[in-house]
Amino acid sequence: MTYVHQKINLNTGDTVIIDSSHSCRAYLMHEWEYNLFLENKDFRYADRSDTARNYYESTTAKLHVSCGGTWDMLLLFDTFDKEKFRYTVDVLPELS
């Protein structure tokens, strides 16, 4: 399976918007979960309603975080064309 990994520094309440040219499964997770993924072990994530970890499947994902810190973003692809692949990551801060 092809994937893209990126570390993102986020603040409490931020929303991460990921736009991808390819349909993918998008995850925000803590480092220990990403390490489980690298070891080909089951890694934990939760649905979009859980603000600790997030998962979304589409070409656009909006993921919310409940605590600040460094997060691991993981995009998993079933089909992937390296020549045509593009993605952007925008962070919207929580409105006070």
Side-chain angles (χ1 to χ4, degrees):
M1 179 166 293
T2 304
Y3 71 92
V4 170
H5 171 254
Q6 179 177 327
K7 288 199 174 282
I8 305 174
N9 291 314
L10 300 169
N11 297 311
T12 301
D14 283 352
T15 300
V16 178
I17 300 173
I18 303 163
D19 284 310
S20 171
S21 58
H22 293 56
S23 183
C24 64
R25 291 182 300 278
Y27 300 87
L28 283 178
M29 61 186 73
H30 297 291
E31 185 174 11
W32 64 272
E33 293 166 320
Y34 177 65
N35 288 335
L36 290 174
F37 167 79
L38 290 177
E39 295 170 4
N40 204 24
K41 296 180 180 176
D42 288 338
F43 62 96
R44 293 172 29 123
Y45 64 91
D47 65 20
R48 292 175 299 244
S49 63
D50 181 350
T51 55
R53 292 170 294 275
N54 291 281
Y55 162 81
Y56 204 89
E57 184 170 3
S58 183
T59 56
T60 300
K62 286 185 180 180
L63 306 173
H64 178 77
V65 296
S66 62
C67 60
T70 301
W71 289 77
D72 289 272
M73 179 194 75
L74 184 63
L75 306 178
L76 296 177
F77 302 91
D78 292 326
T79 59
F80 187 81
D81 182 345
K82 187 175 180 179
E83 297 293 320
K84 296 180 181 178
F85 174 67
R86 302 289 181 269
Y87 77 100
T88 60
V89 178
D90 294 307
V91 178
L92 299 177
E94 180 179 46
L95 298 176
S96 302

